[in-house]
Amino acid sequence: VANGQGGSIKKILRIKNGWSEYDHSNPMYSDIKFNVLVENEFHQQIIAEIQILLKTMKQFKIKSHKFYSILRQKEYFENLKAISLIQNDTGKKLLIAASRRNHREIVAFLALQNIKNATDLSKI
């Protein structure tokens, strides 16, 4: 809510009941999530999430958030490494350009790699 302006929920788009999957022999975080369509007075819309959780789950969430952040950072750097490996692989660059049907990128790639024929292309 900005400047005292709020919106109203127009529609519930999705409900996910984490408790329906809860296993008492393997306790873990659970909540109920509502994805809702919110509209303001200017008819601008946004999808929001409302979480309903028990007090013990809220405490668990607060304590485990640091660990979660570390995992997300690790995942980010692993993805960054994978992307840089793809970007540095000339064969994959060509495949990416082809999958995008980007003719200019393909021609620029072929010229940059000095590819003149199918034999040159097969060496990639």
Side-chain angles (χ1 to χ4, degrees):
V1 178
N3 303 323
Q5 306 285 323
S8 60
I9 296 172
K10 294 296 182 182
K11 185 177 185 180
I12 296 174
L13 303 172
R14 176 177 166 242
I15 300 172
K16 180 165 187 210
N17 183 356
W19 288 102
S20 67
E21 304 161 8
Y22 191 80
D23 179 3
H24 290 282
S25 64
N26 186 21
M28 57 187 199
Y29 176 82
S30 290
D31 63 9
I32 300 172
K33 294 182 181 81
F34 292 84
N35 293 114
V36 295
L37 182 66
V38 178
E39 185 176 293
N40 69 10
E41 63 194 52
F42 305 108
H43 303 289
Q44 297 168 318
Q45 297 180 334
I46 188 169
I47 296 174
E49 181 177 271
I50 300 169
Q51 297 179 2
I52 300 174
L53 56 146
L54 299 173
K55 185 177 181 179
T56 54
M57 291 297 168
K58 170 86 170 142
Q59 292 166 344
F60 173 79
K61 191 175 184 178
I62 290 168
K63 289 179 182 178
S64 65
H65 188 70
K66 284 185 180 181
F67 179 67
Y68 176 75
S69 295
I70 291 168
L71 286 175
R72 292 297 301 228
Q73 285 179 349
K74 181 179 182 248
E75 182 180 280
Y76 169 78
F77 286 110
E78 286 171 352
N79 288 339
L80 194 60
K81 182 180 174 184
I83 289 169
S84 68
L85 289 173
I86 289 170
Q87 289 176 337
N88 292 327
D89 184 319
T90 53
K92 288 182 182 173
K93 282 183 184 179
L94 182 58
L95 287 173
I96 291 168
S99 69
R100 293 180 183 157
R101 298 178 186 221
N102 187 332
H103 301 99
R104 287 185 181 155
E105 193 175 345
I106 293 169
V107 170
F109 175 83
L110 296 174
L112 186 64
Q113 297 298 320
N114 200 22
I115 296 172
K116 298 174 187 148
N117 53 45
T119 306
D120 293 342
L121 189 58
S122 68
K123 294 177 186 175
I124 294 179

